Amino acid sequence: MNAIISAPELVNALAGANPPVLLDVRWQLSTAGAAGAAPFDGRAEYAAGHLPGAVFVDLDRELASAPGGRGRHPMPDVEVFGAAMRRAGVSSGRPVVVYDGGQGWAAARAWWLLRWTGHPNVRVLDGGLPAWEAPLSTDVPVPAEGDFTPEPGATGGMGAANAAGMLDADGAAALARSGVLLDARAGERYRGEVEPIDPVGGHIPGAVSAPTTDNVAANGRFLPAEELRARFKALGAGEDGEVGVYCGSGVSGAHEVLALAVAGIPAALYVGSWSEWSSDPGRPVAVGPDPQ
């Protein structure tokens, strides 16, 4: 099953016998608060207009737990996540389509969590809300309670090429030596030239720079699968070896795991990512363009 769905395909799916549950996960990484500006409000954006029937999901509160030593967006409590999904109408026997404002990072986080906890049929709207050409709605639906019960590590029964794994800090460090660990952040953050959010700049020793922005075209939609396969192959990541991804806090990294899934390459996500790694003074830090 493809991990993404186009807007025309979604229109057809919504008209089918078993239409998907729609989850709106609009969110943006922003440092505006430091300058006194109001932070991005995904719920307000949702209220102003969303795909008809879509339910809003709060990334910070329902797809992550409170920031701390495990990173800025650590894994959510499984009971909180499960309750949020059931409230949104998610059931194991019904497909799910997730979208955000177009960047794809937040939608990919929800996609990854649902896959990792065992949902068998979840996709991301390629290009997000900007790709949707039909009218939006301001009606707030109240769906029937879903029956989805998260089973951590179940990977949705999606097969080896689509299996979602999870790494901790030690696992990421080991994979950087034994396989391929991709750093999905911007190149300047990987090299340690700038670090606007976390306490230390640089990267996990052995990790390869692979900015997630290079996985999409100018319109925000994913490159064709064959182009993504070629890109990841050039970075050392293929279908046969172990591949892992991290980013700043496990959000844009989920988007890179999604891109790898489109390319048919299984990959694990280090959820704590650089925000966890850099907060531990005992962890080594590499700087510059060289992985080591």
Side-chain angles (χ1 to χ4, degrees):
M1 185 186 72
N2 200 346
I4 57 176
I5 184 171
S6 69
E9 289 172 330
L10 179 55
V11 170
N12 291 335
L14 290 169
N18 188 25
V21 173
L22 296 177
L23 304 182
D24 183 311
V25 196
R26 271 179 275 183
W27 171 90
Q28 286 183 11
L29 175 65
S30 175
T31 57
F40 177 83
D41 189 339
R43 194 176 294 275
E45 295 289 324
Y46 168 84
H50 51 264
L51 269 61
V55 176
F56 180 74
V57 175
D58 190 318
L59 185 148
D60 289 319
R61 293 175 174 83
E62 297 171 325
L63 304 182
S65 47
R70 294 185 299 126
R72 283 182 281 108
H73 289 103
M75 287 292 289
D77 178 89
V78 69
E79 296 300 328
V80 171
F81 173 65
M85 294 299 98
R86 290 189 292 274
R87 172 189 60 81
V90 174
S91 294
S92 295
R94 188 175 172 189
V96 177
V97 172
V98 191
Y99 72 92
D100 58 24
Q103 189 177 43
W105 294 5
R109 171 72 174 225
W111 165 85
W112 181 85
L113 275 167
L114 281 165
R115 291 175 64 219
W116 187 73
T117 55
H119 198 285
N121 190 341
V122 53
R123 289 182 282 180
V124 169
L125 176 59
D126 193 16
L129 190 66
W132 183 258
E133 297 180 353
L136 300 178
S137 172
T138 56
D139 294 336
V140 178
V142 183
E145 183 87 357
D147 65 12
F148 178 65
T149 300
E151 297 180 15
T155 70
M158 298 177 68
N162 289 303
M166 184 171 69
L167 296 168
D168 60 12
D170 289 340
L175 185 57
R177 297 188 297 270
S178 65
V180 178
L181 182 65
L182 301 178
D183 185 318
R185 298 172 301 157
E188 58 269 25
R189 291 184 69 192
Y190 169 90
R191 295 187 296 270
E193 297 165 358
V194 297
E195 183 43 66
I197 306 170
D198 295 313
V200 178
H203 58 269
I204 296 173
V208 177
S209 181
T212 196
T213 50
D214 291 347
N215 296 324
V216 297
N219 60 6
R221 300 179 195 178
F222 280 103
L223 299 174
E226 59 272 19
E227 292 186 29
L228 289 171
R229 278 193 292 272
R231 181 196 183 214
F232 291 124
K233 182 178 180 180
L235 293 169
E239 298 177 23
D240 298 329
E242 287 188 89
V243 180
V245 180
Y246 75 97
C247 56
S249 65
V251 179
S252 66
H255 188 269
E256 185 126 298
V257 174
L258 175 59
L260 284 153
V262 172
I265 301 170
L269 177 66
Y270 172 25
V271 178
S273 284
W274 189 248
S275 58
E276 178 186 43
W277 184 278
S278 63
S279 69
D280 181 351
R283 296 284 178 187
V285 171
V287 295
D290 189 286
Q292 302 302 328

